[in-house]
Amino acid sequence: MELGTLTLPKSDWRKLAAVLESRLAGQESLFTEDATIVEAADAAMKHYHFVQTKSQEKQQRHEQRDLVTIDLQSIATSEYRSLGPELVAHTFWEHLGFNQILQNCGLSTEQQALAQAVIIGRLVAPSSDLASWNWLRNQTALLELLPVDLSNIRKDAVYEIADILLAHKDKIEKALRDQEALLFPSQTTLFLYDLTNTYFEGQCKNNALAKRGNSKEQRTERPLVTLALVVDQRGFPIFSRIYGGNQSEPQTLPEILKHLYVPEEPQLFSQERPTIVMDRGIATKETIQLLKSVGYPYLIVERRAVEKEYVQEFEQAKTTFEPIGHEIASGTVYVKKLLWENGSRVLCLSVGREQKEQAMDALKEERFLQDLGRLQASVTKGNIQLVEKVGERVGRLKERYPSTASHYDIVLQLDDAQKKVTTVTYDKKESRVKRQTLTGCYVIETSHQDLAAADIWRLYTTLTKIEEAFRSLKTDLGMRPVYHQQKSRTEGHLFISVLAYHLLICIEKTLAEQDDHRQWSTVCKALSTYQRSTIILTDDQDQIHHVRISSTPESAHQEIYRLLNVKDPLKRKHTVIAKRL
């Protein structure tokens, strides 16, 4: 036996030999109670089994060898295709039971394969549907993982499968929720609800969803489309809905609640209704009253500036409120809980938000006063003096700096004829002082009375999960821009991105459970060098061999595959295709 490194004293070697002989014979040894000998025997047997395994593998390789004499000058490679990210996505496609879900919706095997190609394409190489079609044909080995040959896939088939998936949207989303609940068990307590929008390329004159509105990406020159999304506290999608770009955010809540709670159907939650968490954009008095009327617990920051009602409390926040600081990178947050009607309110002062808002306010105020100073100088020099003209300039200043100008009184001093302005003066209102006091302040309202202020604040901060979802949809999953000129195709495009997000969140959560917090974009980049290619060889009989093979995984690939339990199912393919003349 090859024992490897042996640390046992030479006087015990005979005893060790007896133990090893007994183990190899499958018998008990007289020396098994000697801990040092047992330890040495365990190490020796481990090394022995390792050597035996390698020896057997070597023998098996020799038995399976297919030897030919090759002209080294003939070796070439071709048909390089990306495989690493596709392997991960394909593995999680199977984990989520996508094929079974689609089969239950009536999709054929070919349609299931096409859906997998399009959805994984959106995850791995997000782009327009036309670009995805080119990617499938020319850049990825994903088609080799599918049960159906899609090498001659039609361009229109990419659009058509999106229409088919959209027709089964509610059923697919519910089935995915159920499967994710099995894969990642958790007691669902929070549903986070928000809306985002993205812009179109083109005029979209015949697209009923393409509407002008307030762009969250500052693309007001483009028509928009809106995506409403509900996720749980971990970021898993619960429900999505698509609206026109000019959709009023608060008006969407009744429809969303209708889908979340249907008395005649099994619920999304087993014991009690989850708490609905929303940000300022949706939380009007009317939506809060709606949540109360239908019995949903809620946790919101209201659209109106409720903090103005608590100026005195906020003046003493840093000395009288409870500080939360050890878990926040951007600075301490001070919180105080007050009972309110049938729930409670939590007054919050965020130091990080305070510093950010103060910097923004200071910059706006500086620019406002500079422009106002220029107007004063022009009036003094006589360049502009007519009341109407000066009034127009003041009006434009107020339009350009509405939040700052509201805190100033601008006074025009007129001549005796009341036709010309002689001087322009301004005074700072008391409201400016109040604004400085309330910088970084906000009020969380909730129906919960039994939770502590810090716990309510932490629940509210889970809204970052839906912000992360929107960021992934727009940045990693090709949701923007939208090129489609038809309503149904626009809905299909957005729904494909939502389905791809189901794969993304499952991949990232699986990594996070093993203390690896890399995002999908980082994983995708690391795996981009794992590829599938064809090696071309010519033997001594002038036969041309094509060997289709996956690359050998590097250490970075192996680590990701280990964490995600991913294996490459593609085998080596050897074909003799011709004989060289």
Short mmCIF file of all heavy atoms in Angstrom, two decimals, residues 119-127 467-480 496-497 500-501 504-505 508 518-525:
data_model
loop_
_atom_site.label_atom_id
_atom_site.label_comp_id
_atom_site.label_asym_id
_atom_site.label_seq_id
_atom_site.Cartn_x
_atom_site.Cartn_y
_atom_site.Cartn_z
N ILE A 119 -36.94 32.90 -23.08
CA ILE A 119 -36.84 33.41 -21.70
C ILE A 119 -35.39 33.39 -21.21
O ILE A 119 -34.90 34.36 -20.63
CB ILE A 119 -37.76 32.61 -20.77
CG1 ILE A 119 -39.23 32.84 -21.15
CG2 ILE A 119 -37.53 33.00 -19.31
CD1 ILE A 119 -40.21 31.92 -20.47
N ILE A 120 -34.67 32.28 -21.47
CA ILE A 120 -33.27 32.22 -21.06
C ILE A 120 -32.45 33.21 -21.89
O ILE A 120 -31.49 33.81 -21.39
CB ILE A 120 -32.73 30.78 -21.19
CG1 ILE A 120 -33.39 29.89 -20.13
CG2 ILE A 120 -31.21 30.75 -21.06
CD1 ILE A 120 -32.93 28.45 -20.15
N GLY A 121 -32.84 33.41 -23.14
CA GLY A 121 -32.17 34.42 -23.96
C GLY A 121 -32.30 35.80 -23.35
O GLY A 121 -31.35 36.59 -23.35
N ARG A 122 -33.48 36.11 -22.81
CA ARG A 122 -33.68 37.41 -22.15
C ARG A 122 -32.82 37.52 -20.89
O ARG A 122 -32.38 38.62 -20.53
CB ARG A 122 -35.16 37.59 -21.80
CG ARG A 122 -35.53 38.96 -21.25
CD ARG A 122 -35.33 40.07 -22.28
NE ARG A 122 -36.14 39.85 -23.46
CZ ARG A 122 -37.41 40.19 -23.59
NH1 ARG A 122 -38.02 40.81 -22.59
NH2 ARG A 122 -38.07 39.96 -24.71
N LEU A 123 -32.57 36.40 -20.22
CA LEU A 123 -31.76 36.40 -19.00
C LEU A 123 -30.27 36.52 -19.31
O LEU A 123 -29.54 37.25 -18.64
CB LEU A 123 -32.02 35.11 -18.21
CG LEU A 123 -31.19 34.90 -16.94
CD1 LEU A 123 -31.56 35.92 -15.88
CD2 LEU A 123 -31.38 33.48 -16.41
N VAL A 124 -29.81 35.81 -20.33
CA VAL A 124 -28.37 35.72 -20.61
C VAL A 124 -27.89 36.83 -21.53
O VAL A 124 -26.82 37.41 -21.32
CB VAL A 124 -28.04 34.34 -21.23
CG1 VAL A 124 -26.56 34.27 -21.65
CG2 VAL A 124 -28.36 33.23 -20.25
N ALA A 125 -28.68 37.14 -22.56
CA ALA A 125 -28.28 38.16 -23.53
C ALA A 125 -29.45 39.09 -23.81
O ALA A 125 -30.04 39.05 -24.88
CB ALA A 125 -27.79 37.49 -24.83
N PRO A 126 -29.85 39.92 -22.83
CA PRO A 126 -31.04 40.75 -22.98
C PRO A 126 -30.89 41.75 -24.12
O PRO A 126 -29.89 42.44 -24.23
CB PRO A 126 -31.14 41.46 -21.63
CG PRO A 126 -29.75 41.43 -21.07
CD PRO A 126 -29.15 40.15 -21.55
N SER A 127 -31.92 41.79 -24.96
CA SER A 127 -31.92 42.71 -26.08
C SER A 127 -33.30 42.70 -26.71
O SER A 127 -34.26 42.18 -26.13
CB SER A 127 -30.84 42.30 -27.09
OG SER A 127 -30.69 43.29 -28.09
N GLU A 467 -37.35 47.69 -5.54
CA GLU A 467 -36.47 48.56 -6.31
C GLU A 467 -35.37 47.75 -6.99
O GLU A 467 -35.02 48.01 -8.15
CB GLU A 467 -35.85 49.61 -5.38
CG GLU A 467 -36.87 50.60 -4.80
CD GLU A 467 -36.27 51.46 -3.69
OE1 GLU A 467 -35.08 51.28 -3.39
OE2 GLU A 467 -37.01 52.29 -3.13
N GLU A 468 -34.86 46.74 -6.30
CA GLU A 468 -33.86 45.85 -6.89
C GLU A 468 -34.46 45.07 -8.06
O GLU A 468 -33.81 44.84 -9.08
CB GLU A 468 -33.31 44.88 -5.84
CG GLU A 468 -32.45 45.55 -4.78
CD GLU A 468 -32.11 44.60 -3.63
OE1 GLU A 468 -32.51 43.41 -3.71
OE2 GLU A 468 -31.48 45.05 -2.66
N ALA A 469 -35.73 44.64 -7.90
CA ALA A 469 -36.40 43.92 -8.98
C ALA A 469 -36.53 44.78 -10.22
O ALA A 469 -36.23 44.33 -11.34
CB ALA A 469 -37.77 43.45 -8.50
N PHE A 470 -36.96 46.02 -10.06
CA PHE A 470 -37.08 46.93 -11.20
C PHE A 470 -35.72 47.20 -11.84
O PHE A 470 -35.60 47.26 -13.06
CB PHE A 470 -37.72 48.25 -10.77
CG PHE A 470 -39.20 48.15 -10.51
CD1 PHE A 470 -39.80 48.88 -9.50
CD2 PHE A 470 -40.01 47.33 -11.28
CE1 PHE A 470 -41.16 48.81 -9.26
CE2 PHE A 470 -41.39 47.24 -11.04
CZ PHE A 470 -41.95 47.98 -10.03
N ARG A 471 -34.70 47.35 -11.00
CA ARG A 471 -33.36 47.60 -11.53
C ARG A 471 -32.88 46.39 -12.34
O ARG A 471 -32.29 46.57 -13.43
CB ARG A 471 -32.40 47.89 -10.38
CG ARG A 471 -31.00 48.29 -10.83
CD ARG A 471 -30.23 48.97 -9.71
NE ARG A 471 -30.21 48.18 -8.48
CZ ARG A 471 -30.85 48.55 -7.37
NH1 ARG A 471 -31.56 49.64 -7.33
NH2 ARG A 471 -30.78 47.79 -6.28
N SER A 472 -33.15 45.19 -11.86
CA SER A 472 -32.77 43.99 -12.61
C SER A 472 -33.54 43.89 -13.92
O SER A 472 -32.97 43.55 -14.96
CB SER A 472 -33.02 42.73 -11.76
OG SER A 472 -32.19 42.70 -10.62
N LEU A 473 -34.84 44.18 -13.88
CA LEU A 473 -35.66 44.10 -15.08
C LEU A 473 -35.15 45.06 -16.15
O LEU A 473 -35.11 44.72 -17.34
CB LEU A 473 -37.11 44.41 -14.74
CG LEU A 473 -37.88 43.29 -14.04
CD1 LEU A 473 -39.14 43.82 -13.38
CD2 LEU A 473 -38.23 42.18 -15.02
N LYS A 474 -34.76 46.25 -15.74
CA LYS A 474 -34.35 47.26 -16.72
C LYS A 474 -32.90 47.08 -17.16
O LYS A 474 -32.56 47.28 -18.33
CB LYS A 474 -34.54 48.66 -16.14
CG LYS A 474 -36.00 49.04 -15.95
CD LYS A 474 -36.13 50.45 -15.41
CE LYS A 474 -37.59 50.87 -15.29
NZ LYS A 474 -37.76 52.24 -14.82
N THR A 475 -32.03 46.70 -16.22
CA THR A 475 -30.60 46.65 -16.51
C THR A 475 -30.16 45.28 -17.00
O THR A 475 -29.40 45.16 -17.98
CB THR A 475 -29.79 47.02 -15.26
OG1 THR A 475 -30.20 48.30 -14.80
CG2 THR A 475 -28.30 47.05 -15.56
N ASP A 476 -30.62 44.21 -16.35
CA ASP A 476 -30.14 42.86 -16.65
C ASP A 476 -31.07 42.07 -17.57
O ASP A 476 -30.64 41.05 -18.12
CB ASP A 476 -29.96 42.06 -15.34
CG ASP A 476 -28.94 42.68 -14.42
OD1 ASP A 476 -27.97 43.27 -14.94
OD2 ASP A 476 -29.10 42.60 -13.19
N LEU A 477 -32.32 42.50 -17.71
CA LEU A 477 -33.29 41.66 -18.40
C LEU A 477 -33.95 42.34 -19.60
O LEU A 477 -35.01 41.91 -20.05
CB LEU A 477 -34.36 41.19 -17.40
CG LEU A 477 -33.80 40.38 -16.22
CD1 LEU A 477 -34.89 40.08 -15.21
CD2 LEU A 477 -33.16 39.09 -16.71
N GLY A 478 -33.35 43.38 -20.10
CA GLY A 478 -33.74 43.93 -21.39
C GLY A 478 -35.14 44.50 -21.47
O GLY A 478 -35.73 44.53 -22.55
N MET A 479 -35.70 44.98 -20.35
CA MET A 479 -37.05 45.51 -20.42
C MET A 479 -37.09 46.84 -21.16
O MET A 479 -38.11 47.22 -21.73
CB MET A 479 -37.61 45.68 -19.00
CG MET A 479 -39.10 45.89 -18.96
SD MET A 479 -39.74 46.08 -17.28
CE MET A 479 -39.66 47.87 -17.07
N ARG A 480 -35.99 47.57 -21.16
CA ARG A 480 -35.96 48.87 -21.83
C ARG A 480 -34.90 48.89 -22.93
O ARG A 480 -33.87 48.22 -22.79
CB ARG A 480 -35.68 49.99 -20.82
CG ARG A 480 -34.28 49.92 -20.20
CD ARG A 480 -34.02 51.06 -19.26
NE ARG A 480 -32.71 50.89 -18.65
CZ ARG A 480 -32.26 51.62 -17.63
NH1 ARG A 480 -33.01 52.54 -17.11
NH2 ARG A 480 -31.06 51.41 -17.13
N ILE A 496 -42.08 38.50 -20.77
CA ILE A 496 -40.88 37.67 -20.92
C ILE A 496 -39.81 38.12 -19.92
O ILE A 496 -39.14 37.29 -19.29
CB ILE A 496 -40.33 37.75 -22.35
CG1 ILE A 496 -41.30 37.09 -23.34
CG2 ILE A 496 -38.95 37.09 -22.45
CD1 ILE A 496 -41.43 35.60 -23.19
N SER A 497 -39.67 39.43 -19.74
CA SER A 497 -38.69 39.94 -18.77
C SER A 497 -39.06 39.52 -17.34
O SER A 497 -38.19 39.18 -16.54
CB SER A 497 -38.59 41.47 -18.86
OG SER A 497 -38.00 41.87 -20.08
N ALA A 500 -38.14 35.91 -16.94
CA ALA A 500 -36.69 35.79 -16.79
C ALA A 500 -36.26 36.19 -15.38
O ALA A 500 -35.31 35.64 -14.82
CB ALA A 500 -35.98 36.64 -17.84
N TYR A 501 -36.98 37.15 -14.79
CA TYR A 501 -36.65 37.59 -13.44
C TYR A 501 -36.89 36.46 -12.42
O TYR A 501 -36.17 36.36 -11.42
CB TYR A 501 -37.45 38.83 -13.06
CG TYR A 501 -37.17 39.29 -11.65
CD1 TYR A 501 -35.94 39.86 -11.31
CD2 TYR A 501 -38.11 39.13 -10.64
CE1 TYR A 501 -35.67 40.27 -10.02
CE2 TYR A 501 -37.85 39.53 -9.34
CZ TYR A 501 -36.62 40.10 -9.04
OH TYR A 501 -36.35 40.48 -7.75
N LEU A 504 -33.74 34.65 -12.46
CA LEU A 504 -32.66 35.45 -11.85
C LEU A 504 -32.75 35.45 -10.33
O LEU A 504 -31.74 35.22 -9.65
CB LEU A 504 -32.74 36.88 -12.40
CG LEU A 504 -31.68 37.87 -11.92
CD1 LEU A 504 -31.37 38.89 -13.01
CD2 LEU A 504 -32.12 38.62 -10.66
N ILE A 505 -33.94 35.68 -9.78
CA ILE A 505 -34.05 35.76 -8.33
C ILE A 505 -33.78 34.42 -7.67
O ILE A 505 -33.18 34.34 -6.59
CB ILE A 505 -35.44 36.31 -7.91
CG1 ILE A 505 -35.49 36.62 -6.41
CG2 ILE A 505 -36.57 35.37 -8.29
CD1 ILE A 505 -34.61 37.75 -5.98
N GLU A 508 -29.92 33.99 -7.66
CA GLU A 508 -29.26 34.84 -6.67
C GLU A 508 -29.58 34.39 -5.24
O GLU A 508 -28.71 34.45 -4.36
CB GLU A 508 -29.67 36.29 -6.87
CG GLU A 508 -29.11 36.90 -8.16
CD GLU A 508 -29.38 38.39 -8.30
OE1 GLU A 508 -30.23 38.91 -7.55
OE2 GLU A 508 -28.76 39.02 -9.17
N ARG A 518 -23.07 37.46 -4.88
CA ARG A 518 -22.87 37.98 -6.23
C ARG A 518 -24.19 38.14 -6.95
O ARG A 518 -25.10 37.32 -6.81
CB ARG A 518 -21.95 37.05 -7.03
CG ARG A 518 -20.49 37.21 -6.75
CD ARG A 518 -19.64 36.26 -7.54
NE ARG A 518 -19.71 34.90 -7.00
CZ ARG A 518 -18.96 33.90 -7.43
NH1 ARG A 518 -18.09 34.11 -8.41
NH2 ARG A 518 -19.07 32.70 -6.90
N GLN A 519 -24.29 39.18 -7.76
CA GLN A 519 -25.46 39.38 -8.59
C GLN A 519 -25.34 38.59 -9.87
O GLN A 519 -24.25 38.14 -10.26
CB GLN A 519 -25.64 40.87 -8.90
CG GLN A 519 -25.93 41.72 -7.67
CD GLN A 519 -26.15 43.19 -8.02
OE1 GLN A 519 -25.64 43.68 -9.02
NE2 GLN A 519 -26.90 43.88 -7.19
N TRP A 520 -26.49 38.42 -10.55
CA TRP A 520 -26.50 37.60 -11.76
C TRP A 520 -25.54 38.15 -12.80
O TRP A 520 -24.84 37.37 -13.49
CB TRP A 520 -27.91 37.53 -12.33
CG TRP A 520 -27.94 36.99 -13.73
CD1 TRP A 520 -28.29 37.65 -14.86
CD2 TRP A 520 -27.58 35.66 -14.14
NE1 TRP A 520 -28.18 36.83 -15.95
CE2 TRP A 520 -27.74 35.61 -15.54
CE3 TRP A 520 -27.13 34.53 -13.47
CZ2 TRP A 520 -27.48 34.45 -16.28
CZ3 TRP A 520 -26.85 33.39 -14.20
CH2 TRP A 520 -27.04 33.35 -15.58
N SER A 521 -25.45 39.47 -12.96
CA SER A 521 -24.57 40.04 -13.98
C SER A 521 -23.12 39.63 -13.74
O SER A 521 -22.37 39.35 -14.69
CB SER A 521 -24.69 41.57 -13.98
OG SER A 521 -24.41 42.10 -12.70
N THR A 522 -22.70 39.55 -12.47
CA THR A 522 -21.34 39.13 -12.13
C THR A 522 -21.13 37.66 -12.45
O THR A 522 -20.10 37.27 -13.00
CB THR A 522 -21.05 39.39 -10.64
OG1 THR A 522 -21.30 40.77 -10.35
CG2 THR A 522 -19.62 39.04 -10.29
N VAL A 523 -22.12 36.84 -12.10
CA VAL A 523 -22.04 35.40 -12.39
C VAL A 523 -21.98 35.17 -13.90
O VAL A 523 -21.18 34.36 -14.39
CB VAL A 523 -23.25 34.67 -11.78
CG1 VAL A 523 -23.28 33.21 -12.21
CG2 VAL A 523 -23.22 34.78 -10.26
N CYS A 524 -22.83 35.89 -14.63
CA CYS A 524 -22.90 35.73 -16.07
C CYS A 524 -21.55 36.07 -16.72
O CYS A 524 -21.08 35.36 -17.62
CB CYS A 524 -24.00 36.63 -16.62
SG CYS A 524 -24.60 36.18 -18.25
N LYS A 525 -20.93 37.13 -16.25
CA LYS A 525 -19.64 37.53 -16.79
C LYS A 525 -18.57 36.49 -16.48
O LYS A 525 -17.73 36.17 -17.34
CB LYS A 525 -19.24 38.90 -16.22
CG LYS A 525 -17.96 39.45 -16.79
CD LYS A 525 -17.66 40.84 -16.24
CE LYS A 525 -16.37 41.42 -16.84
NZ LYS A 525 -16.10 42.77 -16.30
#
